[in-house]
């Protein structure tokens, strides 16, 4: 079984996806983490994320491993980078890296390989539209930008990362724009995808809503 969950940044889709995977006892893959790991690699090596030629040249040296445990861990060239890929510098540049077709092609290949051998919930931007167009279930998750920014702000503060709310909001709007307007695999709600707006729903309500759709069919 493949469940595709796409949607905007910081709308809570990873939290729903993780909980769903746990509830259904299947794997969870956070595809955004893979793009983040590529961005992190570039930043560490001094490769400009805005320079597609050098990013693409770096690809053969990037080896990603998704450890399908819950909570999910991701390794970049043998090093656990699960926490590091969440830092604001990576968030700032990841959309640029994710807009490069060669990067997408490689990530999609890895994602499909994973889905070939496992029942899973995968979240991202193009999972229902490109990676698994034949997914058994497709959800499109969103929430109002200010609500998403506030949630993200609180999350980072709780982790002790000092951030500015306005900067988070503008970064989020910028990423929405890049993700939805890029030419390769832009974020879209496919016609089969069920819309879940989490703006005014608590986590348990969101999960129940998604589970209802799955159990109904
Ligand atoms: O979900 P996230 O914020 O961790 O995603 C990080 C970035 O990667 C975001 O800018 C969108 C991009 N992304 C993508 O283009 N396709 C995916 N399947 C997942 C994420």
């Amino acid at each position: 079984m493949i469940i595709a969950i796409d949607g905007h940044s910081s709308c809570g889709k990873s939290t729903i996806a993780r909980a769903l995977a746990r509830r259904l006892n299947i794997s969870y893959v956070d595809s955004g983490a893979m793009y983040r790991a590529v961005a992190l690699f570039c930043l560490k090596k001094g490769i400009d994320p805005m320079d597609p030629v050098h990013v693409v040249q770096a690809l053969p040296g990037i080896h990603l491993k998704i450890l399908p445990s819950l909570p999910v861990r991701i390794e970049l060239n043998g090093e656990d980078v699960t926490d590091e890929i969440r830092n604001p510098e990576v968030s700032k540049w990841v959309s640029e890296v994710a807009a490069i077709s060669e990067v997408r092609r490689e990530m999609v290949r890895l994602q499909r390989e994973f889905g070939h051998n496992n029942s899973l919930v995968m979240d991202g931007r193009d999972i229902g539209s490109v990676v698994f167009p034949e997914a058994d279930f497709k959800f499109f998750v969103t929430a109002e930008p200010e609500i998403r920014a506030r949630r993200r702000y609180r999350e980072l503060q709780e982790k002790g990362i000092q951030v500015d709310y306005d900067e988070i909001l503008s970064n989020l709007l910028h990423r929405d724009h890049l993700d939805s307007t890029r030419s390769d695999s832009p974020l879209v709600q496919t016609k089969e995808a069920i819309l879940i707006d989490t703006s005014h729903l608590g986590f348990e309500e969101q999960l129940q809503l998604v589970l209802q759709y799955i159990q109904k069919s």
Side-chain angles (χ1 to χ4, degrees):
M1 174 161 64
I2 304 274
I3 302 176
I5 303 192
D6 291 300
H8 289 109
S9 306
S10 304
C11 62
K13 63 184 183 306
S14 301
T15 313
I16 302 177
R18 235 183 343 255
L20 197 58
R22 191 173 280 135
R23 191 67 70 92
L24 301 173
N25 200 22
I26 58 179
S27 299
Y28 163 62
V29 178
D30 171 358
S31 67
M34 299 167 69
Y35 292 95
R36 283 174 177 272
V38 175
L40 176 67
F41 180 88
C42 293
L43 293 172
K44 280 186 163 182
K45 297 283 180 192
I47 299 166
D48 180 356
M50 302 274 280
D51 173 357
V53 172
H54 284 105
V55 174
V56 172
Q57 274 174 6
L59 277 177
I62 300 178
H63 302 284
L64 300 180
K65 195 164 165 197
I66 310 280
L67 309 172
S69 55
L70 281 170
V72 185
R73 316 290 305 171
I74 180 162
E75 283 182 4
L76 166 62
N77 295 340
E79 186 193 347
D80 188 328
V81 292
T82 311
D83 298 324
E84 220 179 331
I85 56 168
R86 300 288 151 202
N87 78 40
E89 197 56 17
V90 173
S91 301
K92 192 166 158 185
W93 293 110
V94 61
S95 288
E96 317 286 348
V97 169
I100 302 171
S101 292
E102 289 85 345
V103 172
R104 302 204 67 80
R105 211 177 303 139
E106 181 56 15
M107 296 305 112
V108 169
R109 187 185 68 74
L110 292 172
Q111 290 152 11
R112 287 187 180 145
E113 204 173 276
F114 207 87
H116 206 70
N117 305 315
N118 302 278
S119 276
L120 54 79
V121 182
M122 190 177 289
D123 70 352
R125 305 294 188 289
D126 60 342
I127 310 306
S129 56
V130 174
V131 183
F132 297 118
E134 308 298 330
D136 301 274
F137 298 98
K138 297 182 186 179
F139 295 95
F140 187 89
V141 188
T142 191
E144 292 157 23
E146 291 74 14
I147 292 181
R148 290 188 275 139
R150 217 172 305 133
R151 287 178 186 159
R152 187 89 193 107
Y153 176 77
R154 246 182 272 135
E155 214 175 277
L156 289 169
Q157 284 232 312
E158 276 164 20
K159 287 186 184 160
I161 301 174
Q162 284 314 310
V163 280
D164 178 59
Y165 168 82
D166 291 329
E167 205 173 302
I168 292 200
L169 180 60
S170 74
N171 172 248
L172 198 134
L173 292 171
H174 177 64
R175 279 207 284 157
D176 282 358
H177 178 73
L178 288 179
D179 293 341
S180 316
T181 57
R182 68 177 173 228
S183 56
D184 190 346
S185 323
L187 171 65
V188 285
Q189 182 185 351
T190 61
K191 63 178 185 339
E192 319 82 47
I194 297 153
L195 179 69
I196 308 282
D197 185 336
T198 67
S199 301
H200 305 290
L201 293 178
F203 166 67
E204 217 19 74
E205 290 168 305
Q206 298 168 24
L207 181 62
Q208 286 313 320
L209 195 59
V210 171
L211 278 169
Q212 271 169 24
Y213 280 111
I214 292 174
Q215 283 155 359
K216 224 165 42 189
S217 43

